[in-house]
Amino acid sequence: MTRSGCFVSLTHVRFPSLQTEEDYIPYPSVHEVLGRTSPFPLILLPQFGGYWIEGTNHEPKDTPEADQPPGSASHIKLETNSTAKIYRKQFMGKEHFNYYTMDAALGHLIFSIKYDVIGDQEHLRLMLRTKFKTFHDVIPISCLTEFPNVVQMAKLVCEEVNVDRFYPVLYPKASRLIVTFDEHVISNNFKFGVIYQKFGQTSEEELFGNMEESPAFVEFLEFLGHKIELHDFKGFRGGLDVTHGQTGTESVYTSFHNKEIMFHVSTKLPYTEGDSQQLQRKRHIGNDIVAIVFQEENTPFVPDMIQSNFLHAYVVVQVENACTDNVTYKVSVTARDDVPFFGPALPDPAIFKKGLDFREFLFTKLINAEYACYKAEKFAKLEERTRSALLETLYEELHINSQSMMGLGGDEDKLENGGGGGAGGGGGGVSPRFSLNKKSHTVSTSHSGSFTHNPAESPKTPGISLLVPGKSPSKYGRRGSAIGIGTIEESLIIPGKSPTRKKSGPFSSRRSSAIGIENIQEVQERSRDVSPNTQRTPDSAHFSQENRSDNSSNHSSPEFPATKNSTSGITRRWLYP
């Protein structure tokens, strides 16, 4: 739609972001548009932008193509994190080597190396995990002048690596821990809001105040999934109460390509008399990331009608010829400016016949929308924090269990860490003193004002010149300070371990969506929940992943992906304000 109110036929429209309100001529308000002649668009941009729109043409074509189901199955593809599945597919159960170390800039590093023969050529398959991302590459050995060492291999996939050495992982169950970390971003559980918008409704209070469901809306809900009784429901509950009935008595649930989906339907959530904001409804839908807006009649939806820190994308569906044999749905999509475009692309015109093809398209669009929203600035920062915490826990588990395999880490082994930050950086300042308990594998710290352990420097060896385009041979030299090279005592030091936190045991990733984080406001510490007398052996080190939503029925805690670190008792829960 242009500023003058004329509608243009654009499949995907991204408008420039607002700098200041003074720099921008406002878009027409919804009330201004409703005062004009219909038909109206399904979506209007907020007056000062901040969103993009896909699917603005809904004029039927008079050609036979209009009778064909839009959207070929070959163009409908669920987004997936392919890197997260590589270790299970290419490394597990096959001969490979794992290493760990600490880099001053990249943080904790976990490195996997595998020798591969692809066709008749020898290759190195390399996988490096940092707190920012996972790097993966397959490099032909024929491209290298000499066979590289582990540090040089790491530099082949990430030039920013600046460490002196890697430590071998000697724990037999390491692969189980590593694959759990890699796959913590993969989720088979999703929850989406469903908002019912009647004709003329233009405010949040009106949208959440709807109590009755029209036949057209009931038909659409039946199209989305099965109506289920929440009491004692055993599937993915999406944060709804299945014990006390305090989030309603029924909801809509379905499965799609082995993924469970729970819908938070506005009219099925509890209605509170006298509450104009209907917080019992908004607390769930407002904590979703993607929502469907169902329109029975032609009234535009404006994304900023609903105030939420989490809702980043909307799929607006408007029905025509409801409850007949010729039901069609018009579709438009809108998302915040920092959400990248996600497929499958809407056809032109964006009109669908009710049926399996539209269901496949709609569910794929919803799931891909959530994955795309994770790349928005707000969620990307939360994902990075979660990834960094999980990687640190994995790093410590691999170190502690590798030391245990060598019979090291007793109560008498109390050293000072002269490395001051691990293999990647030299360090000054306060040096932590670590004590590893062989039974419980807890790490205790104390502080010393000076270094009392100064190992002799190991001789530096020149780097191997590798024929990698655009890289200087000098980049493969040994850089930075090493920790604990040459002595058993120094090998007990956990490189880069923070002296301010205790950690032992495996971590548990509880999640109901891909990024493993719940709400943006608070990190709750629950260390008191962990018994101080609990002891564990090296064989007990493993990850456990389960959905919080299956273990808790507290209606006051709407579910977002949660990450729980069982070793420190920290649970991250991000609550809608």
Side-chain angles (χ1 to χ4, degrees), residues 303-324:
D304 65 356
M305 281 181 182
I306 299 174
Q307 300 300 315
S308 169
N309 288 324
F310 288 92
L311 281 169
H312 273 55
Y314 298 91
V315 178
V316 181
V317 178
Q318 188 176 113
V319 65
E320 286 192 342
N321 305 316
C323 302
T324 67

Side-chain angles (χ1 to χ4, degrees), residues 49-325:
Y51 287 79
W52 54 263
I53 298 177
E54 180 196 13
T56 58
N57 179 28
H58 301 99
E59 294 296 326
K61 291 182 179 179
D62 295 328
T63 62
E65 294 179 0
D67 297 330
Q68 299 298 322
S72 169
S74 62
H75 299 121
I76 299 177
K77 181 181 179 181
L78 273 173
E79 297 291 339
T80 182
N81 189 331
S82 57
T83 303
K85 302 178 181 179
I86 290 176
Y87 188 80
R88 179 181 294 277
K89 182 178 180 180
Q90 299 292 344
F91 289 83
M92 282 196 75
K94 303 172 185 177
E95 184 181 21
H96 69 282
F97 303 92
N98 296 308
Y99 300 87
Y100 65 98
T101 192
M102 180 73 183
D103 186 287
L106 299 176
H108 303 87
L109 304 181
I110 309 296
F111 192 29
S112 301
I113 301 171
K114 177 170 171 271
Y115 170 80
D116 253 343
V117 177
I118 303 175
D120 57 352
Q121 281 194 330
E122 298 175 306
H123 293 76
L124 289 174
R125 186 178 293 275
L126 309 174
M127 200 167 183
L128 179 67
R129 301 160 189 86
T130 75
K131 65 181 180 180
F132 302 110
K133 64 178 292 187
T134 297
F135 298 88
H136 171 255
D137 203 354
V138 180
I139 300 174
I141 295 179
S142 60
C143 294
L144 310 175
T145 57
E146 296 184 49
F147 199 84
N149 61 37
V150 177
V151 174
Q152 293 165 345
M153 291 183 192
K155 292 178 183 292
L156 291 176
V157 291
C158 179
E159 291 185 16
E160 289 75 23
V161 170
N162 183 18
V163 298
D164 196 65
R165 65 168 291 183
F166 278 82
Y167 299 84
V169 175
L170 304 177
Y171 182 47
K173 296 182 180 180
S175 291
R176 187 182 305 175
L177 306 181
I178 294 172
V179 76
T180 306
F181 169 80
D182 283 353
E183 295 180 354
H184 81 274
V185 297
I186 300 175
S187 175
N188 290 320
N189 298 329
F190 295 86
K191 53 193 182 72
F192 302 114
V194 182
I195 303 167
Y196 180 30
Q197 182 183 20
K198 293 182 179 180
F199 178 75
Q201 292 186 334
T202 59
S203 69
E204 177 181 290
E205 290 75 16
E206 291 174 324
L207 296 178
F208 287 123
N210 290 324
M211 298 180 59
E212 299 178 355
E213 299 174 351
S214 68
F217 188 44
V218 171
E219 179 186 37
F220 180 69
L221 294 178
E222 292 173 349
F223 171 76
L224 289 179
H226 306 288
K227 184 169 69 174
I228 54 99
E229 295 293 328
L230 286 175
H231 185 69
D232 289 337
F233 179 67
K234 302 304 181 184
F236 171 63
R237 63 183 183 86
L240 300 178
D241 180 18
V242 297
T243 303
H244 306 292
Q246 300 197 39
T247 57
T249 60
E250 60 185 28
S251 189
V252 177
Y253 166 90
T254 192
S255 60
F256 177 73
H257 293 308
N258 298 319
K259 301 180 187 297
E260 294 184 85
I261 300 175
M262 178 65 78
F263 293 98
H264 293 155
V265 183
S266 61
T267 54
K268 295 187 181 299
L269 292 169
Y271 178 85
T272 306
E273 292 286 350
D275 182 6
S276 61
Q277 294 186 355
Q278 293 301 319
L279 294 180
Q280 284 292 333
R281 293 178 169 183
K282 185 177 179 180
R283 68 182 308 165
H284 291 283
I285 297 177
N287 274 324
D288 292 331
I289 298 175
V290 182
I292 300 172
V293 178
F294 178 81
Q295 299 175 340
E296 189 169 354
E297 298 185 56
N298 191 213
T299 299
F301 173 77
V302 185
D304 65 356
M305 281 181 182
I306 299 174
Q307 300 300 315
S308 169
N309 288 324
F310 288 92
L311 281 169
H312 273 55
Y314 298 91
V315 178
V316 181
V317 178
Q318 188 176 113
V319 65
E320 286 192 342
N321 305 316
C323 302
T324 67
D325 294 333

Side-chain angles (χ1 to χ4, degrees), residues 363-384:
F363 282 33
T364 303
K365 193 75 169 175
L366 290 170
I367 293 172
N368 290 351
E370 181 156 317
Y371 282 129
C373 289
Y374 295 149
K375 299 175 183 177
E377 180 181 2
K378 182 175 295 184
F379 294 119
K381 289 180 179 178
L382 296 176
E383 181 180 8
E384 182 179 318

